[in-house]
Amino acid sequence: MKILYSAKEDEWEIYQELLDRKLSDHGFTGFQIFRETDTKIEDIDFVIYAPKNKNEDFSRYKHLKAIFSLWAGIETIISNETIDVPLIKMVDEGLTKGMIEWCSAHTLRYHLNLDHHIKTQDGAWCFNKNQLLAFERNISVLGLGNIGMEVAKSLRDFGFSVSGWSAQKKFEPGIRCYSGEDALRETLEGADIVICLLPETKKTIGLLNKETFSYFKDGAKIINAGRGSLIDDDALLNSIENGKISHATLDVFSEEPLPQKHLFWSNKNVTVTPHIAAISRPDTCVDSIAMNIARYKKGKDFVGLVDNDKGY
Ligand code: OXD
C-alpha cells in the first residue's frame, strides 16, 4: 500500500510518524508513505490532501483508491475533474470538538454579554438584573451535518433552546429540526443567535443575503464558522448598520486571509478570527484516515464519503 501526503510541508514529519504508527496499530505492514517532493513517487493507492493554490492532476495516479481530505470542507476539490475515486471529507474528533468549543465560547460570550465588562472597565458598578438563563435564549444552527449536529447537541445539553436547519430532514430529541428552503425563514425568525456551519455548495453560496437577513430577529447575533461564501458581506454590513444584526463573529471569509482593507476589520460590531474555529489536528486526523483505510480493506463504506450530487 502506497500513500501520498499532499498537504502542509511543515507537518510532513508529524503525519509521517503518526501514519506509520497508527497504520501499524491496525495491523498493516509493508506500506510506504511519500510526500510530493519525493523524486520517486510510485503508484499511489491513497492521497492525503489539504487545499492548495494549484489544481491537482489526480488522473496521474492510475491505481488510486481514494482521496482523504484533511479538511471537513471540500469545496476547493470537489469540482476537480481529474478525480474519479471516492473523496472522503475529514470526520474526526479533533475538528468536531474544536468546533464545539469555539462555537460554545462565542455563544456564551453573546449570551452573557461578556464584552460589556471586559471592554468597559469604567468605574461604574452596574450589574444586569435581567440576565437570561440559557433556556430563555434561542439558538439556531444552520447545517446539521457531522459537526453542526454535535454543536447543536452540545448547546442543547448546556440548556439553550436550540433549532437547526439542514438540507435533509434530521431528527434529534430536544432540537427543533427544520429542513428545506421554505423552513429557513422560520429557523431564522426566532433566533437570538444564529450559528452557520453549512458547507459551501451551489445552494448555500450567498444564502444569507439582503432578503434572508430581513428574516432575522431585530438585534440578533450571528456566528459564522462554516464558509465565508455563505454570507453576502455587503448585506451583512448593511444589516449591522441598520441594527438588524447587533454583532457578528466571523471565522471564515470569501477571501482568506481577509484583506486588510475589508470593512469587517474596522467595524466595532464585527469580531474577526483567522479561520481557527476548528483546526485539523494530525493525531485525530490520522486516526480517522487509518480507520478508513482499515474499513476499505474490509470492504466497508468510508466514513465521510462525499456525495457529489449533494456537493458535500
Ligand atoms: C475545514 C476547516 O474545512 O477547517 O476543515 O474549515
Side-chain angles (χ1 to χ4, degrees):
M1 173 168 68
K2 292 172 182 150
I3 300 173
L4 175 66
Y5 172 82
S6 171
K8 279 190 186 160
E9 194 50 35
D10 61 354
E11 288 186 336
W12 154 249
E13 277 169 23
I14 176 82
Y15 271 96
Q16 188 189 30
E17 193 235 301
L18 286 167
L19 281 162
D20 202 38
R21 177 146 51 84
K22 297 194 182 207
L23 288 169
S24 306
D25 290 349
H26 277 275
F28 292 113
T29 53
F31 50 85
Q32 285 174 277
I33 308 163
F34 298 93
R35 63 174 154 171
E36 284 186 314
T37 49
D38 284 338
T39 44
K40 279 196 170 174
I41 299 179
E42 294 174 37
D43 266 346
I44 292 296
D45 296 290
F46 299 102
V47 173
I48 296 175
Y49 178 83
K52 308 191 197 72
N53 290 332
K54 63 181 169 82
N55 267 340
E56 301 291 322
D57 176 10
F58 292 99
S59 65
R60 65 197 149 127
Y61 308 123
K62 303 290 177 220
H63 297 115
L64 194 59
K65 317 279 187 297
I67 299 170
F68 295 110
S69 165
L70 289 179
W71 287 36
I74 41 73
E75 71 283 351
T76 57
I77 182 183
I78 191 168
S79 54
N80 184 316
E81 285 175 0
T82 67
I83 299 180
D84 60 0
V85 294
L87 171 62
I88 321 298
K89 65 188 163 207
M90 184 50 64
V91 177
D92 79 316
E93 232 194 333
L95 275 176
T96 307
K97 289 202 160 139
M99 192 62 98
I100 290 174
E101 290 180 13
W102 191 89
C103 288
S104 303
H106 286 281
T107 301
L108 284 170
R109 170 187 170 208
Y110 282 150
H111 168 57
L112 297 172
N113 193 13
L114 294 181
D115 284 5
H116 176 70
H117 293 293
I118 293 171
K119 291 188 179 164
T120 35
Q121 295 276 333
D122 54 5
W125 189 261
C126 74
F127 65 93
N128 174 14
K129 283 187 285 200
N130 303 319
Q131 172 61 47
L132 300 185
L133 287 170
F135 77 89
E136 297 169 290
R137 196 78 78 183
N138 292 322
I139 315 282
S140 283
V141 179
L142 304 185
L144 294 175
N146 297 307
I147 296 180
M149 183 56 101
E150 293 308 311
V151 169
K153 284 185 346 200
S154 160
L155 292 170
R156 170 203 62 192
D157 295 347
F158 195 86
F160 286 107
S161 164
V162 181
S163 306
W165 184 82
S166 53
Q168 264 74 44
K169 182 84 183 148
K170 300 278 165 74
F171 297 92
E172 177 61 36
I175 298 179
R176 288 177 302 281
C177 296
Y178 297 96
S179 63
E181 279 169 42
D182 294 345
L184 181 62
R185 184 175 189 142
E186 207 179 337
T187 317
L188 296 175
E189 268 173 354
D192 300 298
I193 303 170
V194 173
I195 304 178
C196 306
L197 293 171
L198 287 159
E200 176 181 308
T201 66
K202 284 188 194 115
K203 290 193 175 159
T204 61
I205 292 178
L207 186 82
L208 297 178
N209 51 42
K210 190 173 174 209
E211 185 188 340
T212 49
F213 276 124
S214 75
Y215 305 159
F216 279 60
K217 188 170 167 176
D218 288 343
K221 315 258 193 309
I222 181 165
I223 296 174
N224 187 16
R227 282 293 179 259
S229 57
L230 304 177
I231 293 183
D232 172 337
D233 292 0
D234 290 338
L236 173 58
L237 285 164
N238 285 335
S239 306
I240 290 175
E241 184 70 32
N242 66 29
K244 189 73 181 161
I245 305 292
S246 59
H247 200 279
T249 296
L250 309 174
D251 183 57
V252 284
F253 305 90
S254 294
E255 187 182 344
E256 292 183 10
L258 182 66
Q260 291 207 327
K261 285 201 206 108
H262 199 293
L263 294 175
F264 285 155
W265 284 116
S266 53
N267 192 308
K268 66 176 183 0
N269 293 320
V270 177
T271 296
V272 170
T273 62
H275 204 143
I276 43 146
I279 55 173
S280 301
R281 292 170 167 78
D283 196 36
T284 53
C285 284
V286 172
D287 277 342
S288 163
I289 292 167
M291 171 273 294
N292 255 330
I293 293 179
R295 290 178 68 89
Y296 172 83
K297 297 281 179 189
K298 288 181 195 147
K300 295 186 177 170
D301 290 342
F302 289 112
V303 173
L305 179 64
V306 170
D307 180 330
N308 282 304
D309 294 331
K310 289 188 192 152
Y312 57 90

